[in-house]
């Protein structure tokens, strides 16, 4: 599955929950609280019994959508997480959280993971003073991520930064300088992602 570039609200309606906390998506899901398509309004659409595999697959798809990663990337993250010490699910979330585009998003420097990926890809982000344009770059503890001087004047980035109200406990954010530091790797229970991560682990375990 490639990273998703289609209508974000439509995708979330299919999953039946808000996965991108933006007011416009919340309004759409409230107004159209049913899956897209001609049979979406039928009550039995979501009430039909699903297999364990189907449930696990959907959780995996939600995870890929939230972090905007491809299926091959997500599988590789799982393989790496499985080799690390500690619970595989916690390791998997930690790896995804420490992607450069996700750090930019979580710190409020971008409104969504998609805009964060674009900002990184266009070379507007510095890591420890060095320009990086690789969204998948793994940020390490102590790394300082900031917006380039030119983009600090961008009205959208200024607006996004000012509106940001919550930051994960493993990040130190300096709004005035448009800068964020990863203090440490995320710990169990700190990643607020609406995904049953154990089901994702079980999904990949079935394939090995």
């Amino acid at each position: 599955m490639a990273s998703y570039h289609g209508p974000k609200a439509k995708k979330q309606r299919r999953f039946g929950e808000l996965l991108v906390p933006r007011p416009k998506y919340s309004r759409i899901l409230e107004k159209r609280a049913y899956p897209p398509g001609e049979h979406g309004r039928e009550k039995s659409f979501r009430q039909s019994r699903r297999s364990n595999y189907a449930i696990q697959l959907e959780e995996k798809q939600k995870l890929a959508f939230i972090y905007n990663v491809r299926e091959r990337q997500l599988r590789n993250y799982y393989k790496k997480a499985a080799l690390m010490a500690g619970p595989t699910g916690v390791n998997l979330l930690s790896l995804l959280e420490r992607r450069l585009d996700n750090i930019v998003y979580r710190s409020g420097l971008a409104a969504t993971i998609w805009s964060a990926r674009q900002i990184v890809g266009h070379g507007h982000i510095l890591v420890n003073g060095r320009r990086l344009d690789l969204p998948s770059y793994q940020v390490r503890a102590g790394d300082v991520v900031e917006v380039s001087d030119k983009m600090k004047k961008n009205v959208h980035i200024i607006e996004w930064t000012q509106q940001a109200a919550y930051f994960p406990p493993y990040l130190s954010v300096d709004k005035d300088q448009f800068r964020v530091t990863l203090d440490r790797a995320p710990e169990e229970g700190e990643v607020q992602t609406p995904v049953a991560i154990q089901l994702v682990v079980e999904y990949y375990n079935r394939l090995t």
Side-chain angles (χ1 to χ4, degrees):
M1 180 180 68
S3 55
Y4 188 70
H5 300 288
K8 312 302 187 298
K10 183 177 181 180
K11 191 80 167 182
Q12 292 173 87
R13 285 175 59 206
R14 184 174 76 79
F15 289 129
E17 59 184 300
L18 184 67
L19 301 177
V20 182
R22 296 277 287 167
K24 66 175 182 178
Y25 298 137
S26 179
R27 289 193 296 267
I28 292 174
L29 263 67
E30 289 177 3
K31 185 177 180 180
R32 301 179 182 179
Y34 51 86
E38 60 179 314
H39 300 294
R41 292 178 182 267
E42 298 177 6
K43 291 184 178 180
S44 61
F45 189 90
R46 279 209 180 97
Q47 294 176 351
S48 58
R49 184 175 180 180
R50 296 183 300 163
S51 66
N52 289 336
Y53 175 80
I55 296 173
Q56 293 165 356
L57 175 62
E58 183 171 286
E59 292 300 305
K60 185 267 296 183
Q61 292 172 334
K62 284 166 53 178
L63 189 67
F65 174 76
I66 290 170
Y67 287 97
N68 191 32
V69 296
R70 298 179 177 85
E71 163 58 26
R72 180 177 295 180
Q73 287 178 302
L74 188 56
R75 185 189 295 266
N76 287 337
Y77 280 125
Y78 165 77
K79 291 179 179 178
K80 186 174 181 179
L83 296 176
M84 296 167 60
T88 301
V90 175
N91 295 337
L92 177 56
L93 286 176
S94 178
L95 290 171
L96 291 169
E97 279 291 304
R98 288 185 287 119
R99 284 174 54 95
L100 179 57
D101 57 355
N102 187 72
I103 294 293
V104 170
Y105 167 52
R106 295 291 194 200
S107 62
L109 298 176
T112 67
I113 189 67
W114 296 276
S115 57
R117 185 186 185 97
Q118 185 178 48
I119 292 170
V120 174
H122 288 175
H124 300 309
I125 295 297
L126 309 178
V127 178
N128 299 328
R130 182 168 63 95
R131 190 181 304 273
L132 280 179
D133 59 3
L134 187 64
S136 63
Y137 174 80
Q138 279 286 296
V139 179
R140 294 169 293 186
D143 281 352
V144 177
V145 178
E146 61 184 321
V147 177
S148 64
D149 289 340
K150 178 182 178 180
M151 289 302 288
K152 288 178 181 179
K153 302 175 183 178
N154 183 280
V155 293
H156 297 296
I157 290 183
I158 293 174
E159 179 184 2
W160 296 335
T161 305
Q162 290 176 343
Q163 291 179 348
Y166 168 80
F167 306 108
Y170 38 88
L171 297 181
S172 293
V173 179
D174 185 338
K175 285 187 174 185
D176 295 332
Q177 298 299 320
F178 301 91
R179 180 183 300 149
V180 56
T181 302
L182 177 65
D183 296 327
R184 55 178 173 77
E187 298 177 359
E188 186 171 4
E190 289 185 329
V191 179
Q192 298 185 4
T193 300
V195 173
I197 192 63
Q198 185 56 35
L199 293 180
V200 179
V201 173
E202 292 174 4
Y203 170 84
Y204 282 116
N205 281 341
R206 297 174 68 124
L207 304 180
T208 57

